[in-house]
Amino acid sequence: MKYQKEVSLGGAWVKASELKNGMKAKLVSEAVPQPSSFTNKDGSPKTQDVAKLRIEGLSEPFNCSLNRATINALVDAFGEDSKEWQGHVLTIETEKVRVGGVARVALYLVPDGYEKKDDDNGYAVITKKGSPTPTTDPIQINDSDIPF
């Protein structure tokens, strides 16, 4: 049997419900893919991108799962290598959401000069301030492709 080494970050997890919009934070580690407690349709574990987050006014860094909107903003602001995301001041934004019918608080990390808004499909995106809201191209469907 072959095994692969798994890298995981130990320590406490951030509780987004205990944070306030406008708080400042910095990533203090690279993002590391880790198995999530959620599963794919085939039963395999989903992965999440986790980094250590130091939050203004708190003494220890916390593990933080980075959502896609945050990752896209960090890539846009600081580049594709998560090593480069460390040490920059980020603004915390939280939002109440429903995940699988359960109320949760989503955590977004917004770089200076960026803002969180919704795209034309209602998805959260983080873009440079003053830039147009991203749009998705409508799917083109030919009437001949519709079976009825």
Side-chain angles (χ1 to χ4, degrees):
M1 167 80 54
K2 291 184 180 183
Y3 290 90
Q4 292 183 351
K5 181 179 175 182
E6 286 189 22
V7 178
S8 63
L9 299 174
W13 285 82
V14 69
K15 293 181 182 170
S17 61
E18 296 176 1
L19 302 177
K20 303 267 187 253
N21 282 334
M23 293 177 82
K24 301 296 181 186
K26 291 181 180 181
L27 292 177
V28 294
S29 78
E30 292 183 66
V32 178
Q34 289 186 249
S36 161
S37 58
F38 298 100
T39 57
N40 293 309
K41 290 180 182 178
D42 66 0
S44 63
K46 288 186 175 193
T47 59
Q48 59 185 343
D49 297 294
V50 178
K52 288 283 189 181
L53 183 69
R54 182 168 295 283
I55 301 166
E56 174 183 48
L58 301 179
S59 60
E60 67 179 89
F62 293 91
N63 292 330
C64 177
S65 180
L66 305 176
N67 56 40
R68 183 52 46 197
T70 294
I71 290 172
N72 288 343
L74 295 171
V75 167
D76 187 52
F78 311 119
E80 295 178 354
D81 189 341
S82 68
K83 285 181 186 180
E84 302 301 321
W85 304 349
Q86 298 177 65
H88 298 280
V89 175
L90 305 167
T91 302
I92 289 174
E93 285 201 33
T94 60
E95 179 180 28
K96 289 184 181 180
V97 297
R98 292 226 173 248
V99 178
V102 178
R104 304 269 188 215
V105 177
L107 172 64
Y108 299 92
L109 301 174
V110 182
D112 283 343
Y114 284 69
E115 62 186 340
K116 183 180 80 63
K117 51 189 170 179
D118 293 338
D119 69 9
D120 60 346
N121 289 320
Y123 289 96
V125 293
I126 302 170
T127 60
K128 287 183 184 177
K129 286 183 180 175
S131 66
T133 301
T135 58
T136 50
D137 293 329
I139 298 171
Q140 300 296 320
I141 300 174
N142 295 325
D143 288 340
S144 62
D145 293 335
I146 300 172
F148 51 87

